[in-house]
């Protein structure tokens, strides 16, 4: 259970709460749904970053400053709508 919880991104403190005093498992379904929602947001963010990197690598524009797709991605990052990688990873 600990390994599964850690893989999903739960802290050890979160995991400890899932066990009762006798070691019985108490699943907090709301916490599971919250974590799933968080993972969905992270997946969306990382997908946008991945797609931006792939586009930048293959972009036919003379420079990235002239590429509308790259400029859009840059605006999204600067506005905080796309998080930096270090903010997404534990």
């Amino acid at each position: 259970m600990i390994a599964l919880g850690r893989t999903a991104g739960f802290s050890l403190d979160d995991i400890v709460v899932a066990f009762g005093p006798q070691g019985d498992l108490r699943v907090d379904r709301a916490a599971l749904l919250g974590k799933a929602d968080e993972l969905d947001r992270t997946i969306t963010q990382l997908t946008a970053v991945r797609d931006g990197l792939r586009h930048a690598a293959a972009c036919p524009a003379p420079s990235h400053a002239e590429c509308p797709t790259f400029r859009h991605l840059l605006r999204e990052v600067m506005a905080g709508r796309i998080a930096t990688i270090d903010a997404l990873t534990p």
Side-chain angles (χ1 to χ4, degrees):
M1 272 309 285
I2 293 171
L4 180 60
R6 294 294 293 149
T7 299
F10 286 98
S11 71
L12 289 178
D13 289 335
D14 295 331
I15 296 166
V16 166
V17 173
F19 292 97
Q22 303 301 320
D24 54 314
L25 183 60
R26 298 179 298 178
V27 176
D28 181 345
R29 293 176 193 272
L32 296 178
L33 289 172
K35 183 57 74 174
D37 289 343
E38 180 184 324
L39 288 170
D40 281 339
R41 288 187 297 275
T42 300
I43 289 166
T44 299
Q45 297 269 328
L46 290 173
T47 298
V49 171
R50 181 207 58 208
D51 292 349
L53 290 172
R54 289 191 189 284
H55 176 79
C59 181
S63 76
H64 289 95
E66 297 175 54
C67 172
T69 302
F70 182 79
R71 291 193 340 235
H72 172 75
L73 179 62
L74 184 58
R75 282 193 304 274
E76 293 293 299
V77 170
M78 296 305 291
R81 289 184 289 270
I82 296 177
T84 60
I85 296 295
D86 59 333
L88 296 174
T89 54

